[in-house]
Amino acid sequence: MSYPEQAQPRRPTVVGLAAAVLVLMAVGALAYAVAGLVALGGTVDRFRAAAAGTTAGSGETDGLVTLLWLAVGVSAALTVLVGVVLVGLAFGLFAGRPGARVATWVVCGLGLAFGCCGLAALVGQRAVPLRLSGRDQATTAELLGLLGDAYPSWWIPVNAGLSVGQLLGYFVVTALLALPAANAWFRRGRPVPAPAGPPPAAPPYPSR
């Protein structure tokens, strides 16, 4: 005797939207990494030209340029890694894995925390100039100021816009996955406990 096939539950729209936002955020992370690498070459050239008119030696300038290349390279690698993680989480959400939803909440929480700190550091760097006492420290502060001015004019708006977009994305994904429709989707495979009822009656004793 054949039994009719049970229809698979339909994925809620909120889960699909959360996964789509994660993929969009991964694309934004890749764009951020590429933008940083593209802007670096011209930034270094402008910085070297400006540093030539200061009292800083070539060793100090070269050291700061090396640190800049290292920082941008590490930042780009970490950003690409975050993008890969976001894409993996999006596939997990599409498949309806409960662990993917928990992992997404953890990643979103960390992303919100680090994103707020990074945005605050970016604003503080541009709003409060760095001032150090002493000749060597003053030279370093002057070089750092020239380095900040060497970035292209579009760098700060693009950086700030991507940071704000990532923060909003983390918040939206967290909210979407907490909706009742998402809860039902990720809990659909759990066994439903049987309702409590009266204990079964004991069998009657045989009559003698």
Side-chain angles (χ1 to χ4, degrees):
M1 183 174 60
S2 61
Y3 295 92
E5 295 183 358
Q6 294 182 354
Q8 294 294 330
R10 186 177 180 180
R11 183 187 306 109
T13 304
V14 293
V15 176
L17 286 176
V21 172
L22 288 178
V23 174
L24 184 62
M25 292 170 62
V27 175
L30 180 60
Y32 174 81
V34 172
L37 294 175
V38 169
L40 186 57
T43 299
V44 170
D45 294 339
R46 287 187 292 270
F47 170 70
R48 287 188 180 278
T54 65
T55 58
S58 59
E60 294 175 300
T61 303
D62 293 339
L64 192 56
V65 169
T66 301
L67 289 177
L68 178 61
W69 276 104
L70 181 61
V72 172
V74 171
S75 176
L78 291 177
T79 303
V80 172
L81 179 60
V82 170
V84 173
V85 171
L86 294 178
V87 172
L89 292 175
F91 278 105
L93 295 179
F94 266 114
R97 299 189 181 96
R101 182 171 72 151
V102 176
T104 302
W105 276 335
V106 173
V107 171
C108 287
L110 294 175
L112 285 172
F114 285 109
C116 290
C117 293
L119 189 60
L122 178 64
V123 174
Q125 179 183 3
R126 306 301 295 181
V128 181
L130 180 62
R131 295 178 181 178
L132 300 175
S133 60
R135 184 180 180 278
D136 295 338
Q137 288 82 357
T139 301
T140 302
E142 183 181 8
L143 289 178
L144 291 176
L146 293 176
L147 180 59
D149 296 335
Y151 274 93
S153 58
W154 54 265
W155 172 247
I156 295 297
V158 169
N159 197 356
L162 289 175
S163 298
V164 173
Q166 292 291 93
L167 290 176
L168 292 176
Y170 285 128
F171 179 79
V172 169
V173 170
T174 302
L176 289 174
L177 295 180
L179 294 177
N183 291 333
W185 165 256
F186 288 105
R187 292 177 180 176
R188 69 192 187 282
R190 297 183 181 180
V192 179
Y205 289 99
S207 57
R208 296 183 181 178

